[in-house]
Amino acid sequence: GYRTRLMHVLSFIAVVSLHDRAIFIENGGDVVMNLVVAWTMFLPMGARYSVDALRASLARRQEHTEDELADRDALAVPAARAVSFAVFAILLQASVVYFFNAVHKNGVTWKEGSVVHYVLHQDRIVTWLGWVLRPYVTLGVSKALTWGALVIELALPILILTPIATRKARRLAVLLGPALHIGFAAFLNLGMFSFNMLAWFVLLLDEADLRLLGRLVAPARKRERKVLFDADCGFCFWTVRVLARLDVFRRLTLVSNRAPNALPEGMDPTLIERTIVVIDPATGRFWTRSSAFAQIFLA
């Protein structure tokens, strides 16, 4: 995420040249990686969750006081929508991959539903889990899994491209597609194919999905911490400016040693001048040095 556009182009050159050099062992996973790197090269991939985004935020707003640091809404990244032909190309590319994978599955074993049974008995690609479970895969189970995989691959192009109930359709695609590929990865050694295919589905998430995901993975309220820092230390103030931007779930309260009643009763005031101090407001317990930063990262 540093100098993202330049690094993205260099990554594209590196990965394509590597695969071209070793074309004898290239597989579907390598092709998918090339496609993802190629199409996303035209999108603002460094706009969020990157070093570039952090640097832009630090440059956009210069905080000089504790009150300015506390105004987290002012630190929020401005909402922006990326409009690009590359977005359509990515959606079409993923749909094409699944469509042709599905229509080419027209052999006898696919029609009779025995594919899963036979593939689990190919010792060159079956995983240890597939090897353990294959004695229990009856014809009925094989049919269900075989035809289920086929139905999902046929449904994914429709779910990805449909202009009707788009958000619901893509959310269903985000559930079905990764489930399919996680199943592949669990039972079959297919190189990086399954893992690279998962990258497509990250691009189907919209802002509402990411907010929902954020609520699910947000640190618990018990992780809330008060961070005491030396306001006269330039490096310390720059550090808490960075922390204010990384603290997207707002579990940190940043307090300088100049604030009234900032220090807990009995704490040596010179301690803040030597190290950062992190306090659990619920229990009063405090940490310093590396232990303090461990608490910050957990929050």
Side-chain angles (χ1 to χ4, degrees):
Y2 177 70
R3 306 286 183 185
T4 307
R5 183 75 68 183
L6 171 63
M7 295 304 171
H8 203 144
V9 172
L10 294 178
S11 296
F12 174 73
I13 294 171
V15 73
V16 172
S17 64
L18 176 65
H19 292 160
D20 231 28
R21 188 177 181 88
I23 197 167
F24 183 74
I25 58 172
E26 186 178 32
N27 61 27
D30 300 324
V31 174
V32 170
M33 184 185 296
N34 292 342
L35 292 172
V36 173
V37 176
W39 287 122
T40 54
M41 192 162 48
F42 300 99
L43 297 177
M45 301 302 288
R48 297 291 293 270
Y49 313 115
S50 69
V51 175
D52 285 347
L54 177 61
R55 292 171 65 231
S57 177
L58 290 169
R60 184 170 54 247
R61 187 172 187 270
Q62 298 283 341
E63 301 84 36
H64 301 285
T65 66
E66 183 181 334
D67 291 337
E68 289 177 334
L69 280 174
D71 186 5
R72 299 298 181 83
D73 291 332
L75 301 180
V77 178
R81 185 178 296 272
V83 179
S84 170
F85 178 78
V87 176
F88 172 70
I90 287 170
L91 300 178
L92 184 61
Q93 182 74 74
S95 301
V96 165
V97 169
Y98 286 109
F99 175 77
F100 283 106
N101 264 282
V103 298
H104 287 158
K105 291 179 170 63
N106 56 6
V108 174
T109 52
W110 282 101
K111 293 177 181 178
E112 69 183 16
S114 60
V115 163
V116 171
H117 166 78
Y118 284 119
V119 78
L120 290 180
H121 284 80
Q122 290 194 36
D123 288 341
R124 67 184 180 87
I125 61 172
V126 70
T127 65
W128 68 268
L129 183 61
W131 183 83
V132 169
L133 295 181
R134 67 187 182 186
Y136 306 100
V137 178
T138 63
L139 180 58
V141 172
S142 179
K143 286 182 177 180
L145 295 176
T146 299
W147 294 335
L150 191 56
V151 167
I152 290 175
E153 289 191 340
L154 284 170
L156 283 173
I158 300 172
L159 294 174
I160 292 172
L161 293 178
T162 180
I164 302 171
T166 304
R167 175 174 289 172
K168 292 181 180 179
R170 290 185 180 176
R171 283 178 174 175
L172 183 57
V174 169
L175 293 175
L176 293 178
L180 178 71
H181 290 293
I182 290 172
F184 287 162
F187 297 108
L188 303 172
N189 289 310
L190 300 176
M192 293 299 296
F193 173 73
S194 297
F195 305 102
N196 290 341
M197 286 303 297
L198 294 177
W200 295 110
F201 296 95
V202 178
L203 301 172
L204 296 180
L205 300 174
D206 64 14
E207 187 179 2
D209 297 325
L210 292 174
R211 283 200 301 266
L212 175 62
L213 184 62
R215 288 197 294 269
L216 294 175
V217 303
R221 285 290 176 185
K222 66 180 182 179
R223 292 290 184 191
E224 290 181 347
R225 297 291 184 263
K226 181 190 291 186
V227 180
L228 305 182
F229 64 95
D230 183 0
D232 297 317
C233 168
F235 178 77
C236 301
F237 196 85
W238 184 88
T239 301
V240 294
R241 286 186 67 214
V242 172
L243 291 179
R245 288 161 169 80
L246 298 181
D247 181 30
V248 293
F249 299 114
R250 303 189 183 187
R251 296 295 186 262
L252 301 179
T253 302
L254 305 174
V255 182
S256 78
N257 55 348
R258 295 176 182 173
N261 303 317
L263 301 180
E265 186 176 351
M267 180 177 287
D268 181 3
T270 63
L271 183 62
I272 306 297
E273 298 175 4
R274 300 195 304 270
T275 179
I276 195 168
V277 178
V278 173
I279 301 173
D280 183 347
T283 64
R285 182 183 178 186
F286 70 91
W287 298 264
T288 61
R289 300 171 67 85
S290 59
S291 297
F293 275 96
Q295 290 297 315
I296 289 172
F297 296 146
L298 287 171

